[in-house]
Amino acid sequence: MSIDKKPTTIQESAEQAEQEEANARAEKDSGLYTHEFEDPFTYEGRTYERLSFDWKSLKGKDSVAIERELLSRGIAVVNAGFTPEYLVAMAARSCTFRNDDGFRTVTTNMIYALPLVDFRKICIAARNFLLRAGSR
């Protein structure tokens, strides 16, 4: 784990802020979100330091499958961007992490088990992607 260099001058602070803003714009435009855990997260014996989500990899069939799964559990999706269960399922399907055999290990249950701050950041990133997609 690297230690971030703290800015020592106003110029360095401005440059760092500008770089962070550029990185955020690039991530937003690409449809990718990488979540860095402040403390590594362990679930079912596997430890995660970061998770990446490729929102643009999702297809219409993913949306339909998520909605059908939620309906079978008695959860109606009125607005996907504001239905927490939809956002969680969307995150699980778009997570790029795979085990050594190439299988998805990030499930909705794992996302529900995240610390609240991490859970909220991931759901907000999913919501923001949907909101941006709807505004184009």
Side-chain angles (χ1 to χ4, degrees), residues 24-87:
R25 273 194 313 273
E27 194 168 83
K28 185 187 296 187
D29 293 340
S30 70
L32 299 174
Y33 170 68
T34 299
H35 181 79
E36 300 272 343
F37 292 100
E38 190 171 316
D39 297 314
F41 173 72
T42 301
Y43 182 78
E44 294 185 348
R46 183 178 300 274
T47 301
Y48 303 86
E49 292 184 13
R50 78 186 54 78
L51 292 174
S52 293
F53 302 88
D54 183 359
W55 310 123
K56 286 187 176 181
S57 70
L58 297 174
K59 307 293 182 215
K61 68 179 183 172
D62 293 302
S63 183
V64 170
I66 290 169
E67 288 194 42
R68 283 193 176 149
E69 176 189 333
L70 294 177
L71 279 173
S72 74
R73 293 178 20 217
I75 301 167
V77 177
V78 176
N79 183 329
F82 292 96
T83 305
E85 295 86 356
Y86 186 96
L87 298 171

Side-chain angles (χ1 to χ4, degrees), residues 82-107:
F82 292 96
T83 305
E85 295 86 356
Y86 186 96
L87 298 171
V88 168
M90 181 180 152
R93 284 176 175 264
S94 68
C95 187
T96 62
F97 187 88
R98 300 291 185 264
N99 67 12
D100 295 335
D101 297 325
F103 293 104
R104 185 182 324 174
T105 61
V106 175
T107 63

